[in-house]
Amino acid sequence: MHQRSLKSFVFALFALLTAAACVPTSTTRQGQGGGDLVGSEERQRYLTEAMALMRLAKDSPSPARDQQYMKAAELFLYTDRPTQAIDAAGQVNASVLPAADQFRWRLLSAEIDLQRGAVDRAVAGLEAGPDSDAPRDQLLRYYQVKAKSCHRAGKMLESARARTALDRLLEAPDERTANQLEIVKTLALLSDTALDLLQPNPPDEMTGWMELARIFKKHGDNFASAQPEYAAWRARFPSHPAETELFARHYGEVKARPRTNLARVAVLLPQSGPLQKVANSIREGIMAAHSVSDPASRPGLSFYDSSDSQNVPALYQQAVQEGASAVIGPLDKGALGVLAAGGDLPVPTLALNQNAATTSLPPANLYQFALSPEDEARQAAERARQDGHALALAMAPNTAWGQRELSAFTQRWTELGGRIAEQALYDEKQHDFSPQIVGLTNLDEGEQRYKRLQKLLGRNLHFEPQPRRDADFLFLSAEGGKAREIRPQLQFHRAGKLAIYSTSRVFNGDVNPGRDRDIDGVRFPDVPWLLVPEQGPLSREAVARMFPASQTQYPRLYAMGIDSYNLLFDLERLAAGRRHETSQGKTGNLYLDEGNLVHRRLVWAEISNGRPKVIGYTPAPGPGVAGATSN
């Protein structure tokens, strides 16, 4: 008996050590650009080892059992099996792990928290810093995970600092360049005011990165205009670790991306009718983007009046016959349906709406781009889950738009494993929302219990209504004016501590602290063009000089016009790498799905003292676990 147990233990220990030798380091797992570097054969080998460790751990004594489960979880993560990684990690009793494995366990826990969407918990788990004697591969993992988690939590300076520490560990030139570009891009997401306030005193290495970020923001991908300022920067920071050819290499990568050449672009937009004002804003956004594009490759631009939606198919054929090599439009959903029903299209066509009725694959060359409320509602569900919430209340107007947002939120929230305790619809013409709020927060049930008890006891009782305590946030579908009425009424009914998530409709697009203090604390996703200050030829200020109305009238549609023009040149690349290839636009980080629908990943903001404050960014789609656990 004793010999058999001893043999089992020796065998388990031998297998454990063998597996430990095969666990890949973080540099084997992925490069700094986030690409998966694990080949199919290597992936299968890691997966086989992980499954073997899982079987072995069942019969192993502790702590070998816990070490085996931990290593299996790491291998599952390396092979993009997050669900199995979470299951394996759940078997680990961290308290019995040797001291040498405790830091490694913290890393694994943070990686799993990121997969679950529990970003704040991942950040908190890495606050203590690495062990002083941690090996290089674990340090690489630590700074990679910290940079990603801080970025997703909206902590841009902390993310950049993690990447500067990572930079000192990297050896491969390509990895260093990619990581350094991420440092600059991350800092470029901060406003100029924030960059001024966060300047180290006295100036240090981070000061140089911040100054590089200013150049990056100002010139973007325009190497020719950035080069003189970059040379001046190098003279000011001669010993800075940024690679000498950093901008040149980045510009080379941009030039190497496949970009479609177009001779003429036709734009189908109505010049009269109910969509005229919307179309005018999109048209001026298109014209702004066209005017600042490279003159050497700038296509001709022709506008066609599509006010008569029934005439759109004929108008489309006319545009193609007159030499259009790509088309933007139509805007009208009915016209889009007619065009889509006609079969494959001869040239790439970016419709400015989405046909919700489409169930099959779209015709060839048809792409659909809209500022979809469903996208925003789904991202509200994802953000709430990422923030650790589990039980939702929902409130929406009894309109087609409100129903769309509520339906999309509910579907995504349920997919993520969340539950909805109550939901309520309201009339947009009403101003007293007490019936909906009382029903959502169960104040009516409390009053009914009070009345029953008072009747039962036959005497007056002191009663102070209290809202339900199980729900931890409210999804509120509302435009800004209604939200400013609803938020104070929630506070009046003692539900002011509920976290509130909404969509971009809650913010009018212009900063007005006096008006928006009533919605302090409300979180919402929106287009980066409105929330992230930038410089350059297509910044809000630059476009306003061309079209002053862009500052106040439909600013998001100006951003949509800019993106619709620029997307034409990227459609081929995006289609070749659906959900993985992206285009950084004014309306968000854009990607295509399998049905040629353009989706947007947005910036997240919270109203604070009446002003929108950026708090994070919607993460990229990819393999991962939908659900999250509450903090």
Side-chain angles (χ1 to χ4, degrees), residues 19 48-49 130 166 209 221 226 274 317 333 373 388 572 578 619:
T48 301
E49 291 174 3
L166 179 63
W209 289 119
D221 294 334
Q317 291 301 324
K333 182 170 286 191
E572 184 178 347
R578 297 179 194 280

Side-chain angles (χ1 to χ4, degrees), residues 407-460:
S407 176
F409 170 82
T410 301
Q411 180 181 354
R412 184 61 179 143
W413 182 245
T414 304
E415 290 172 354
L416 294 171
R419 294 185 298 118
I420 296 182
E422 298 280 353
Q423 62 183 46
L425 299 176
Y426 63 87
D427 188 330
E428 284 200 316
K429 295 180 180 179
Q430 75 183 85
H431 300 283
D432 180 5
F433 301 94
S434 297
Q436 286 82 8
I437 294 173
V438 167
L440 283 172
T441 58
N442 283 356
L443 287 173
D444 52 348
E445 293 183 11
E447 186 171 359
Q448 289 168 10
R449 287 193 298 271
Y450 154 71
K451 289 179 178 178
R452 287 196 301 270
L453 186 59
Q454 185 171 255
K455 184 177 180 179
L456 179 65
L457 297 176
R459 58 187 176 88
N460 290 331

Side-chain angles (χ1 to χ4, degrees), residues 392-396 406 409-410 420 422-424 440 473-476:
L393 302 175
M395 188 172 175
L406 181 59
F409 170 82
T410 301
I420 296 182
E422 298 280 353
Q423 62 183 46
L440 283 172
F473 81 101
L474 169 70
F475 172 68
L476 177 62

Side-chain angles (χ1 to χ4, degrees), residues 4-249:
R4 195 180 306 121
S5 299
L6 183 60
K7 283 183 179 179
S8 296
F9 177 74
V10 171
F11 175 75
L13 183 61
F14 174 77
L16 172 64
L17 294 173
T18 303
C22 298
V23 171
T25 67
S26 56
T27 49
T28 303
R29 178 184 172 192
Q30 65 179 47
Q32 298 311 306
D36 186 1
L37 300 184
V38 180
S40 58
E41 291 184 8
E42 201 171 18
R43 181 190 301 269
Q44 186 56 48
R45 180 165 60 85
Y46 292 157
L47 185 59
T48 301
E49 291 174 3
M51 298 301 293
L53 282 167
M54 292 292 287
R55 292 190 296 270
L56 186 63
K58 291 180 180 179
D59 300 319
S60 297
S62 194
R65 169 187 177 278
D66 305 281
Q67 291 173 307
Q68 289 160 355
Y69 277 128
M70 181 174 69
K71 289 178 171 62
E74 290 176 323
L75 289 166
F76 282 132
L77 279 182
Y78 298 155
T79 54
D80 291 334
R81 301 293 181 100
T83 302
Q84 290 167 279
I86 291 171
D87 290 343
Q91 302 294 324
V92 177
N93 180 0
S95 65
V96 303
L97 288 173
D101 285 333
Q102 289 295 331
F103 176 59
R104 189 171 181 176
W105 170 250
R106 274 205 297 134
L107 288 178
L108 176 62
S109 299
E111 289 170 328
I112 286 177
D113 283 336
L114 271 185
Q115 290 284 352
R116 284 172 161 165
V119 175
D120 290 342
R121 191 163 58 196
V123 172
L126 298 173
E127 281 182 356
D131 291 347
S132 58
D133 58 347
R136 178 176 175 274
D137 68 304
Q138 291 183 19
L139 290 174
L140 285 167
R141 278 177 65 191
Y142 173 81
Y143 289 115
Q144 287 170 348
V145 178
K146 185 164 187 177
K148 291 177 184 177
S149 57
C150 286
H151 192 284
R152 284 178 57 178
K155 300 176 182 292
M156 297 305 150
L157 182 60
E158 291 87 342
S159 178
R161 282 177 174 153
R163 287 201 174 275
T164 59
L166 179 63
D167 187 64
R168 300 183 191 104
L169 295 169
L170 294 173
E171 298 171 350
D174 288 345
E175 288 190 347
R176 285 202 70 198
T177 300
N179 182 63
Q180 290 184 359
L181 285 170
E182 288 301 318
I183 295 172
V184 179
K185 290 178 182 179
T186 299
L187 291 171
L189 294 170
L190 295 169
S191 68
D192 288 338
T193 302
L195 287 172
D196 288 335
L197 293 174
L198 296 172
Q199 283 282 350
N201 188 19
D204 61 7
E205 177 186 314
M206 183 57 71
T207 306
W209 289 119
M210 287 180 168
E211 291 303 311
L212 263 183
R214 291 181 189 274
I215 299 172
F216 188 90
K217 289 174 67 176
K218 183 177 179 180
H219 300 281
D221 294 334
N222 191 332
F223 173 74
S225 64
Q227 181 60 28
E229 288 192 45
Y230 179 70
W233 175 89
R234 178 56 71 183
R236 288 177 54 209
F237 298 94
S239 59
H240 196 273
E243 292 191 6
T244 306
E245 299 300 318
L246 180 66
F247 264 45
R249 291 182 66 173

